[in-house]
């Protein structure tokens, strides 16, 4: 069973802003690197959509470690 989740840029922004607000409300300081990581992931997503719109990165056969992880199932509790 596979599922596809489509998020637009506004939804991603809302989720990230909510994450920052929750962390601030609970006294958690996100490291600067977290912001850089999110920024790079968004760049990667944008360029993937432009250069290979039909590519599903998580289903790509060239990433065997993702396929192996699905075969193993969820981690034990």
């Amino acid at each position: 069973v596979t599922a596809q989740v489509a998020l637009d840029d506004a939804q991603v922004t809302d989720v990230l802003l909510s994450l920052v607000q929750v962390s601030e409300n609970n006294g958690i300081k996100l490291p600067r690197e977290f912001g850089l990581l999110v920024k790079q992931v968004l760049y990667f997503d944008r360029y993937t959509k432009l250069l290979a719109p039909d590519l599903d990165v998580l289903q790509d056969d060239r990433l065997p470690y993702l396929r192996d992880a699905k075969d193993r199932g969820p981690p034990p509790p």
Side-chain angles (χ1 to χ4, degrees), residues 43-64:
Y43 280 141
F44 178 76
D45 183 58
R46 181 182 305 158
Y47 290 126
T48 301
K49 286 178 184 175
L50 288 172
L51 299 173
D54 297 328
L55 176 66
D56 181 357
V57 175
L58 298 179
Q59 298 298 324
D60 195 307
D61 290 335
R62 294 171 286 186
L63 300 174

Side-chain angles (χ1 to χ4, degrees):
V1 176
T2 60
Q4 294 239 343
V5 177
L7 297 172
D8 65 9
D9 292 340
Q11 289 173 314
V12 171
T13 301
D14 289 343
V15 168
L16 292 173
L17 290 174
S18 295
L19 178 65
V20 170
Q21 183 178 15
V22 166
S23 66
E24 287 176 353
N25 291 345
N26 290 288
I28 300 170
K29 182 173 170 32
L30 296 173
R32 179 177 178 266
E33 292 81 5
F34 178 77
L36 295 174
L37 177 65
V38 168
K39 184 177 176 182
Q40 292 307 311
V41 168
L42 293 174
Y43 280 141
F44 178 76
D45 183 58
R46 181 182 305 158
Y47 290 126
T48 301
K49 286 178 184 175
L50 288 172
L51 299 173
D54 297 328
L55 176 66
D56 181 357
V57 175
L58 298 179
Q59 298 298 324
D60 195 307
D61 290 335
R62 294 171 286 186
L63 300 174
Y65 65 90
L66 290 175
R67 187 175 52 249
D68 294 343
K70 284 190 272 185
D71 293 339
R72 286 192 298 263

